Amino acid sequence: IDYTGTEPSSPCNKCLNVSWDSTPPCTCTINFTLEHSFESNVFMYYGLSNFYQNHRRYVKSRDDSQLNGDNSSLLNPSKECEPYRTNEDKPIAPCGAIANSMFNDTLELYRIDNDTRIPITLIKKGIAWWTDKNVKFRNPTGDGNNLTALFQGTTKPVNWPKPVYMLDSEPDNNGFINEDFIVWMRTAALPTFRKLYRLIERKNNLHPTLQAGKYSLVIAYNYPVHSFDGRKRMILSTISWMGGKNPFLGIAYITVGSICFFLGVVLLIIHHKYGNRNTSADIPN
């Protein structure tokens, strides 16, 4: 579901030129229909296009020591974070261009049954890699578990509406270990990508996770992409016993395999035609 809003007829067209800190956020609703039921667990992604997370300076613009909870790096971030290292003489936490550009749209999904909106439960935990959540990202340490006190002396990234210790109300999903933040910090290799946003778990084996019918996507539109001709979309996907739908690897394998086969045939022909030549030179007496 593309909800960029560039088309005049789109419900999100009114939100096209929002800023990072629009208050209140612009809200739009897109109705759609699922033609087929989703039987197993459903993965909800947000997708961005024309967004180059693979730019060299962008990829380097972070401080892994700070993200790992190092107290000295918290107050003295790496120079790689420039120009998002400090703001108003205070160190930024988390610093860097990657964190500063974190995706912050809010997506809610509803099923429409007889003109009644039934909310779909979206699970926000379990979307990040285990190694990222438990090894690479940690909150600062100190007396007590009050994140407000632990992040004292720092300031929020320039484009964020609120500081890192207010990303979530649950302590095990707040600060540097917030899973939405962790997912965003794993940069994409291509300019068109998707990142896992929420999980929809199957509750009853007798009923599909998402049955066919009418649905409504409610978006708190905060993330501006129009300035760089980007696009935003919401993707619903599921898995089978063979895994998820991802044609990239299949296309890559077929392409590389075809090239190898072609080169093998060419080299075989060259070897058959020229390989048995007598290379010894006749030396006259």
Side-chain angles (χ1 to χ4, degrees), residues 66-282:
Q66 185 191 60
L67 298 175
N68 196 240
D70 183 74
N71 289 8
S72 60
S73 297
L74 180 69
L75 299 177
N76 186 26
S78 168
K79 293 182 179 180
E80 295 285 0
C81 288
E82 295 288 0
Y84 302 106
R85 181 173 177 264
T86 60
N87 186 28
E88 296 179 352
D89 296 329
K90 287 186 176 182
I92 294 176
C95 71
I98 307 176
N100 187 64
S101 60
M102 178 181 168
F103 181 84
N104 66 338
D105 282 357
T106 302
L107 308 177
E108 297 177 351
L109 189 63
Y110 297 87
R111 182 169 66 87
I112 301 177
D113 187 9
N114 295 327
D115 296 329
T116 301
R117 293 201 315 178
I118 303 172
I120 304 296
T121 302
L122 304 177
I123 300 174
K124 60 187 175 182
K125 295 182 181 179
I127 61 174
W129 290 20
W130 186 91
T131 51
D132 288 349
K133 175 76 173 180
N134 297 279
V135 178
K136 293 184 178 181
F137 290 80
R138 295 176 182 174
N139 283 323
T141 56
D143 295 334
N145 295 318
N146 188 345
L147 287 184
T148 304
L150 293 176
F151 282 97
Q152 188 175 8
T154 66
T155 186
K156 66 178 183 63
V158 178
N159 288 340
W160 285 26
K162 53 188 176 183
V164 67
Y165 51 83
M166 295 178 63
L167 290 179
D168 199 288
S169 58
E170 300 182 30
D172 61 342
N173 193 42
N174 199 10
F176 289 158
I177 59 172
N178 176 264
E179 296 203 26
D180 286 325
F181 171 67
I182 294 174
V183 168
W184 177 258
M185 292 300 292
R186 181 168 285 276
T187 54
L190 300 174
T192 297
F193 59 86
R194 64 174 66 176
K195 290 180 183 285
L196 187 57
Y197 180 70
R198 293 293 182 264
L199 302 174
I200 306 174
E201 289 187 346
R202 187 173 188 178
K203 297 180 180 179
N204 191 331
N205 291 332
L206 300 177
H207 300 282
T209 308
L210 293 179
Q211 63 187 37
K214 295 181 178 180
Y215 288 83
S216 178
L217 177 66
V218 179
I219 305 124
Y221 198 113
N222 300 307
Y223 200 73
V225 296
H226 184 56
S227 60
F228 57 88
D229 295 326
R231 300 199 68 87
K232 300 190 291 186
R233 61 197 186 280
M234 183 277 294
I235 303 109
L236 294 176
S237 180
T238 187
I239 59 173
S240 66
W241 64 273
M242 293 182 65
K245 180 182 178 182
N246 186 357
F248 175 78
L249 281 179
I251 294 172
Y253 286 152
I254 291 173
T255 303
V256 174
S258 300
I259 294 173
C260 291
F261 178 78
F262 173 76
L263 292 176
V265 172
V266 171
L267 293 175
L268 180 63
I269 294 173
I270 294 174
H271 176 73
H272 180 74
K273 189 173 182 179
Y274 301 104
N276 295 326
R277 280 189 171 185
N278 187 2
T279 58
S280 61
D282 293 332

